[in-house]
Short mmCIF file of all heavy atoms in Angstrom, two decimals:
data_model
loop_
_atom_site.label_atom_id
_atom_site.label_comp_id
_atom_site.label_asym_id
_atom_site.label_seq_id
_atom_site.Cartn_x
_atom_site.Cartn_y
_atom_site.Cartn_z
N PRO A 1 -12.03 -11.10 9.09
CA PRO A 1 -12.58 -12.34 9.66
C PRO A 1 -13.65 -12.91 8.71
O PRO A 1 -14.53 -12.20 8.26
CB PRO A 1 -13.15 -11.99 10.95
CG PRO A 1 -12.41 -10.76 11.35
CD PRO A 1 -12.10 -10.02 10.13
N GLY A 2 -13.45 -14.22 8.30
CA GLY A 2 -14.44 -14.87 7.47
C GLY A 2 -14.39 -14.52 5.98
O GLY A 2 -15.26 -14.87 5.22
N LYS A 3 -13.47 -13.71 5.62
CA LYS A 3 -13.29 -13.25 4.27
C LYS A 3 -11.99 -13.76 3.64
O LYS A 3 -11.00 -14.12 4.32
CB LYS A 3 -13.43 -11.82 4.18
CG LYS A 3 -14.78 -11.27 4.56
CD LYS A 3 -14.85 -9.75 4.21
CE LYS A 3 -16.25 -9.25 4.62
NZ LYS A 3 -16.38 -7.74 4.30
N GLN A 4 -11.87 -13.72 2.29
CA GLN A 4 -10.64 -14.04 1.62
C GLN A 4 -9.67 -12.93 1.75
O GLN A 4 -9.98 -11.79 1.89
CB GLN A 4 -10.97 -14.34 0.13
CG GLN A 4 -11.72 -15.64 -0.06
CD GLN A 4 -11.83 -16.01 -1.59
OE1 GLN A 4 -11.73 -15.09 -2.43
NE2 GLN A 4 -11.80 -17.29 -1.83
N ARG A 5 -8.40 -13.31 1.57
CA ARG A 5 -7.37 -12.24 1.55
C ARG A 5 -7.53 -11.30 0.40
O ARG A 5 -7.80 -11.68 -0.74
CB ARG A 5 -5.98 -12.92 1.50
CG ARG A 5 -4.79 -11.97 1.79
CD ARG A 5 -3.57 -12.77 1.94
NE ARG A 5 -3.47 -13.59 3.18
CZ ARG A 5 -2.42 -14.09 3.62
NH1 ARG A 5 -1.31 -14.04 3.02
NH2 ARG A 5 -2.46 -14.78 4.79
N GLU A 6 -7.39 -10.04 0.63
CA GLU A 6 -7.73 -8.97 -0.28
C GLU A 6 -6.37 -8.17 -0.54
O GLU A 6 -5.81 -7.61 0.43
CB GLU A 6 -8.81 -8.07 0.23
CG GLU A 6 -9.03 -6.81 -0.59
CD GLU A 6 -9.99 -5.78 0.05
OE1 GLU A 6 -10.09 -5.92 1.32
OE2 GLU A 6 -10.51 -4.99 -0.66
N TRP A 7 -6.01 -8.00 -1.68
CA TRP A 7 -4.90 -7.10 -2.05
C TRP A 7 -5.22 -5.68 -1.80
O TRP A 7 -6.33 -5.19 -2.05
CB TRP A 7 -4.48 -7.29 -3.57
CG TRP A 7 -3.42 -6.32 -3.99
CD1 TRP A 7 -2.09 -6.36 -3.75
CD2 TRP A 7 -3.70 -5.16 -4.79
NE1 TRP A 7 -1.52 -5.27 -4.30
CE2 TRP A 7 -2.42 -4.50 -4.96
CE3 TRP A 7 -4.81 -4.60 -5.31
CZ2 TRP A 7 -2.29 -3.36 -5.64
CZ3 TRP A 7 -4.66 -3.39 -6.07
CH2 TRP A 7 -3.39 -2.88 -6.20
N VAL A 8 -4.26 -4.91 -1.16
CA VAL A 8 -4.52 -3.51 -0.78
C VAL A 8 -3.73 -2.53 -1.62
O VAL A 8 -4.34 -1.61 -2.19
CB VAL A 8 -4.16 -3.33 0.67
CG1 VAL A 8 -4.28 -1.82 1.13
CG2 VAL A 8 -5.02 -4.21 1.64
N ALA A 9 -2.42 -2.76 -1.77
CA ALA A 9 -1.63 -1.77 -2.51
C ALA A 9 -0.22 -2.37 -2.73
O ALA A 9 0.17 -3.32 -2.09
CB ALA A 9 -1.43 -0.51 -1.72
N HIS A 10 0.44 -1.88 -3.77
CA HIS A 10 1.83 -2.25 -3.95
C HIS A 10 2.64 -1.09 -4.53
O HIS A 10 2.09 -0.17 -5.06
CB HIS A 10 1.89 -3.55 -4.79
CG HIS A 10 1.69 -3.36 -6.23
ND1 HIS A 10 0.93 -4.28 -6.94
CD2 HIS A 10 2.14 -2.49 -7.15
CE1 HIS A 10 0.91 -3.94 -8.19
NE2 HIS A 10 1.61 -2.82 -8.34
N ILE A 11 3.92 -1.23 -4.37
CA ILE A 11 4.88 -0.26 -4.90
C ILE A 11 6.02 -0.98 -5.49
O ILE A 11 6.56 -1.94 -4.82
CB ILE A 11 5.31 0.76 -3.87
CG1 ILE A 11 6.28 1.78 -4.42
CG2 ILE A 11 5.95 0.07 -2.61
CD1 ILE A 11 6.60 2.96 -3.48
N THR A 12 6.45 -0.60 -6.69
CA THR A 12 7.60 -1.29 -7.34
C THR A 12 8.88 -0.54 -6.97
O THR A 12 8.84 0.56 -6.53
CB THR A 12 7.41 -1.39 -8.85
OG1 THR A 12 7.42 -0.07 -9.36
CG2 THR A 12 6.08 -2.06 -9.16
N SER A 13 9.98 -1.14 -7.33
CA SER A 13 11.27 -0.60 -7.03
C SER A 13 11.54 0.66 -7.88
O SER A 13 12.34 1.48 -7.57
CB SER A 13 12.40 -1.53 -7.26
OG SER A 13 12.36 -2.17 -8.52
N ASP A 14 10.79 0.80 -9.00
CA ASP A 14 10.89 1.99 -9.85
C ASP A 14 9.79 3.03 -9.52
O ASP A 14 9.69 4.01 -10.24
CB ASP A 14 10.97 1.71 -11.27
CG ASP A 14 9.74 0.92 -11.78
OD1 ASP A 14 8.77 0.75 -10.92
OD2 ASP A 14 9.70 0.51 -12.92
N GLY A 15 9.08 2.74 -8.40
CA GLY A 15 8.17 3.78 -7.94
C GLY A 15 6.70 3.70 -8.43
O GLY A 15 5.90 4.54 -8.11
N THR A 16 6.41 2.71 -9.20
CA THR A 16 5.01 2.53 -9.65
C THR A 16 4.12 2.03 -8.51
O THR A 16 4.53 1.06 -7.78
CB THR A 16 4.92 1.48 -10.79
OG1 THR A 16 5.71 2.02 -11.88
CG2 THR A 16 3.46 1.35 -11.22
N ILE A 17 3.06 2.73 -8.27
CA ILE A 17 2.12 2.46 -7.21
C ILE A 17 0.73 2.19 -7.65
O ILE A 17 0.20 2.83 -8.59
CB ILE A 17 2.10 3.67 -6.23
CG1 ILE A 17 3.38 3.84 -5.56
CG2 ILE A 17 0.97 3.52 -5.19
CD1 ILE A 17 3.53 5.15 -4.73
N ASN A 18 0.11 1.24 -7.03
CA ASN A 18 -1.30 0.87 -7.35
C ASN A 18 -2.01 0.61 -6.00
O ASN A 18 -1.42 0.09 -5.14
CB ASN A 18 -1.37 -0.34 -8.25
CG ASN A 18 -1.08 0.00 -9.72
OD1 ASN A 18 -1.88 0.69 -10.38
ND2 ASN A 18 0.11 -0.35 -10.15
N TYR A 19 -3.30 0.93 -6.02
CA TYR A 19 -4.22 0.71 -4.85
C TYR A 19 -5.45 0.02 -5.29
O TYR A 19 -6.01 0.21 -6.38
CB TYR A 19 -4.58 2.08 -4.26
CG TYR A 19 -3.40 2.91 -3.70
CD1 TYR A 19 -2.92 3.98 -4.46
CD2 TYR A 19 -2.89 2.62 -2.49
CE1 TYR A 19 -1.87 4.68 -3.96
CE2 TYR A 19 -1.85 3.41 -2.00
CZ TYR A 19 -1.34 4.47 -2.75
OH TYR A 19 -0.29 5.17 -2.25
N ALA A 20 -5.98 -0.71 -4.33
CA ALA A 20 -7.31 -1.28 -4.50
C ALA A 20 -8.30 -0.16 -4.41
O ALA A 20 -8.12 0.87 -3.73
CB ALA A 20 -7.62 -2.27 -3.34
N ASP A 21 -9.39 -0.27 -5.16
CA ASP A 21 -10.42 0.82 -5.21
C ASP A 21 -10.94 1.18 -3.80
O ASP A 21 -11.28 2.29 -3.50
CB ASP A 21 -11.56 0.40 -6.08
CG ASP A 21 -11.17 0.53 -7.63
OD1 ASP A 21 -10.17 1.10 -7.93
OD2 ASP A 21 -11.90 -0.13 -8.40
N SER A 22 -10.99 0.11 -2.92
CA SER A 22 -11.59 0.30 -1.63
C SER A 22 -10.72 1.17 -0.68
O SER A 22 -11.22 1.71 0.28
CB SER A 22 -11.78 -1.04 -0.94
OG SER A 22 -10.54 -1.75 -0.84
N VAL A 23 -9.47 1.39 -1.06
CA VAL A 23 -8.58 2.23 -0.23
C VAL A 23 -8.03 3.52 -0.94
O VAL A 23 -7.34 4.33 -0.31
CB VAL A 23 -7.47 1.41 0.36
CG1 VAL A 23 -7.95 0.13 1.06
CG2 VAL A 23 -6.45 1.07 -0.71
N LYS A 24 -8.36 3.55 -2.19
CA LYS A 24 -7.74 4.65 -3.02
C LYS A 24 -8.19 6.01 -2.41
O LYS A 24 -9.34 6.15 -2.08
CB LYS A 24 -8.22 4.52 -4.46
CG LYS A 24 -7.35 5.27 -5.46
CD LYS A 24 -7.81 4.88 -6.89
CE LYS A 24 -7.44 3.46 -7.24
NZ LYS A 24 -7.81 3.10 -8.67
N GLY A 25 -7.26 6.89 -2.22
CA GLY A 25 -7.53 8.19 -1.70
C GLY A 25 -7.44 8.30 -0.16
O GLY A 25 -7.51 9.39 0.45
N ARG A 26 -7.35 7.14 0.45
CA ARG A 26 -7.33 7.10 1.95
C ARG A 26 -5.97 6.50 2.41
O ARG A 26 -5.45 6.91 3.51
CB ARG A 26 -8.40 6.24 2.51
CG ARG A 26 -9.84 6.78 2.17
CD ARG A 26 -10.92 6.07 2.90
NE ARG A 26 -10.92 4.59 2.63
CZ ARG A 26 -10.74 3.64 3.42
NH1 ARG A 26 -10.58 3.89 4.71
NH2 ARG A 26 -10.80 2.34 3.04
N PHE A 27 -5.40 5.57 1.64
CA PHE A 27 -4.13 4.90 2.02
C PHE A 27 -3.05 5.36 1.11
O PHE A 27 -3.21 5.66 -0.04
CB PHE A 27 -4.27 3.42 1.89
CG PHE A 27 -5.22 2.70 2.91
CD1 PHE A 27 -6.09 3.47 3.74
CD2 PHE A 27 -5.22 1.37 2.99
CE1 PHE A 27 -6.85 2.85 4.65
CE2 PHE A 27 -6.04 0.75 3.86
CZ PHE A 27 -6.90 1.45 4.74
N THR A 28 -1.84 5.40 1.66
CA THR A 28 -0.62 5.77 0.91
C THR A 28 0.42 4.79 1.22
O THR A 28 0.84 4.63 2.42
CB THR A 28 -0.14 7.21 1.30
OG1 THR A 28 -1.19 8.12 1.07
CG2 THR A 28 1.02 7.58 0.42
N ILE A 29 1.00 4.19 0.19
CA ILE A 29 2.09 3.30 0.37
C ILE A 29 3.44 3.90 -0.03
O ILE A 29 3.41 4.79 -0.95
CB ILE A 29 1.89 1.95 -0.51
CG1 ILE A 29 2.96 0.91 -0.10
CG2 ILE A 29 1.92 2.24 -2.02
CD1 ILE A 29 2.65 -0.49 -0.75
N SER A 30 4.50 3.58 0.67
CA SER A 30 5.82 4.10 0.35
C SER A 30 6.82 3.15 0.76
O SER A 30 6.58 2.26 1.52
CB SER A 30 6.05 5.48 1.02
OG SER A 30 5.97 5.34 2.46
N ARG A 31 7.98 3.30 0.18
CA ARG A 31 9.14 2.36 0.60
C ARG A 31 10.39 3.24 0.77
O ARG A 31 10.63 4.20 -0.05
CB ARG A 31 9.33 1.26 -0.42
CG ARG A 31 9.79 1.67 -1.77
CD ARG A 31 9.70 0.45 -2.81
NE ARG A 31 10.71 -0.47 -2.60
CZ ARG A 31 10.77 -1.69 -3.29
NH1 ARG A 31 9.83 -2.00 -4.12
NH2 ARG A 31 11.78 -2.56 -3.04
N ASP A 32 11.14 2.83 1.71
CA ASP A 32 12.43 3.50 1.98
C ASP A 32 13.50 2.32 1.91
O ASP A 32 13.78 1.61 2.89
CB ASP A 32 12.48 4.13 3.40
CG ASP A 32 13.73 4.91 3.63
OD1 ASP A 32 14.75 4.58 3.07
OD2 ASP A 32 13.69 5.76 4.54
N ASN A 33 14.09 2.18 0.76
CA ASN A 33 15.12 1.11 0.61
C ASN A 33 16.25 1.25 1.47
O ASN A 33 16.86 0.23 1.94
CB ASN A 33 15.53 1.05 -0.84
CG ASN A 33 14.45 0.54 -1.83
OD1 ASN A 33 13.48 -0.13 -1.38
ND2 ASN A 33 14.52 0.85 -3.08
N ALA A 34 16.66 2.45 1.86
CA ALA A 34 17.79 2.67 2.75
C ALA A 34 17.50 2.10 4.13
O ALA A 34 18.42 1.68 4.83
CB ALA A 34 18.17 4.15 2.86
N LYS A 35 16.25 2.14 4.51
CA LYS A 35 15.89 1.63 5.83
C LYS A 35 15.24 0.18 5.74
O LYS A 35 14.81 -0.34 6.66
CB LYS A 35 14.80 2.51 6.52
CG LYS A 35 15.38 3.91 6.89
CD LYS A 35 14.40 4.76 7.62
CE LYS A 35 14.98 6.06 7.94
NZ LYS A 35 13.99 6.92 8.71
N ASN A 36 15.22 -0.29 4.50
CA ASN A 36 14.65 -1.66 4.28
C ASN A 36 13.21 -1.75 4.80
O ASN A 36 12.80 -2.83 5.37
CB ASN A 36 15.53 -2.75 4.87
CG ASN A 36 16.89 -2.78 4.27
OD1 ASN A 36 17.03 -2.68 3.03
ND2 ASN A 36 17.91 -2.96 5.06
N THR A 37 12.43 -0.67 4.57
CA THR A 37 11.04 -0.62 5.15
C THR A 37 10.06 -0.11 4.16
O THR A 37 10.32 0.79 3.40
CB THR A 37 11.10 0.32 6.40
OG1 THR A 37 12.05 -0.20 7.37
CG2 THR A 37 9.75 0.35 7.09
N VAL A 38 8.88 -0.71 4.20
CA VAL A 38 7.76 -0.26 3.47
C VAL A 38 6.69 0.17 4.41
O VAL A 38 6.48 -0.40 5.51
CB VAL A 38 7.20 -1.42 2.60
CG1 VAL A 38 5.86 -1.01 1.88
CG2 VAL A 38 8.23 -1.91 1.66
N TYR A 39 5.95 1.27 4.12
CA TYR A 39 4.97 1.81 4.99
C TYR A 39 3.63 1.84 4.28
O TYR A 39 3.50 1.88 3.10
CB TYR A 39 5.38 3.28 5.31
CG TYR A 39 6.69 3.46 5.93
CD1 TYR A 39 7.75 3.78 5.14
CD2 TYR A 39 6.87 3.24 7.27
CE1 TYR A 39 9.07 3.92 5.76
CE2 TYR A 39 8.14 3.43 7.91
CZ TYR A 39 9.21 3.72 7.06
OH TYR A 39 10.41 3.92 7.66
N LEU A 40 2.64 1.76 5.17
CA LEU A 40 1.23 1.98 4.65
C LEU A 40 0.57 2.97 5.61
O LEU A 40 0.25 2.63 6.77
CB LEU A 40 0.48 0.65 4.64
CG LEU A 40 -0.87 0.73 4.01
CD1 LEU A 40 -0.82 0.96 2.53
CD2 LEU A 40 -1.77 -0.54 4.32
N GLN A 41 0.42 4.17 5.12
CA GLN A 41 -0.28 5.25 5.86
C GLN A 41 -1.72 5.09 5.58
O GLN A 41 -2.18 5.20 4.47
CB GLN A 41 0.22 6.57 5.50
CG GLN A 41 -0.47 7.71 6.18
CD GLN A 41 -0.15 7.78 7.69
OE1 GLN A 41 1.01 7.86 8.08
NE2 GLN A 41 -1.22 7.86 8.48
N MET A 42 -2.51 4.95 6.65
CA MET A 42 -3.98 4.73 6.51
C MET A 42 -4.69 5.91 7.18
O MET A 42 -4.49 6.12 8.39
CB MET A 42 -4.43 3.38 7.14
CG MET A 42 -3.58 2.12 6.59
SD MET A 42 -4.19 0.65 7.17
CE MET A 42 -3.77 0.75 8.90
N ARG A 43 -5.61 6.52 6.40
CA ARG A 43 -6.37 7.64 6.96
C ARG A 43 -7.83 7.43 6.74
O ARG A 43 -8.22 6.54 5.97
CB ARG A 43 -5.88 8.94 6.33
CG ARG A 43 -4.50 9.37 6.49
CD ARG A 43 -4.17 10.69 5.85
NE ARG A 43 -2.80 11.12 6.06
CZ ARG A 43 -1.71 10.82 5.34
NH1 ARG A 43 -1.89 10.04 4.38
NH2 ARG A 43 -0.57 11.27 5.75
N SER A 44 -8.63 8.19 7.46
CA SER A 44 -10.11 8.05 7.27
C SER A 44 -10.49 6.55 7.42
O SER A 44 -11.31 6.09 6.58
CB SER A 44 -10.55 8.67 5.94
OG SER A 44 -10.19 10.00 5.89
#
């Protein structure tokens, strides 16, 4: 609320993953192309 949109994480089709510093070590992104689904596991 009241803030600009912030990039969190992405994953490419060849498996390259990047995270924003604010979530690194706490969030995990993954993709399952067979299920046409991308996940964001958020901890802590």
Side-chain angles (χ1 to χ4, degrees):
K3 295 188 177 181
Q4 290 191 330
R5 191 170 290 193
E6 174 192 20
W7 171 77
V8 175
H10 74 225
I11 181 169
T12 66
S13 56
D14 58 6
T16 300
I17 292 173
N18 284 286
Y19 297 100
D21 287 344
S22 58
V23 307
K24 200 172 293 183
R26 300 187 298 121
F27 290 12
T28 303
I29 190 171
S30 60
R31 66 192 286 173
D32 185 338
N33 289 338
K35 295 183 178 180
N36 297 319
T37 301
V38 177
Y39 303 98
L40 186 68
Q41 177 68 54
M42 306 185 294
R43 298 181 176 88
S44 301

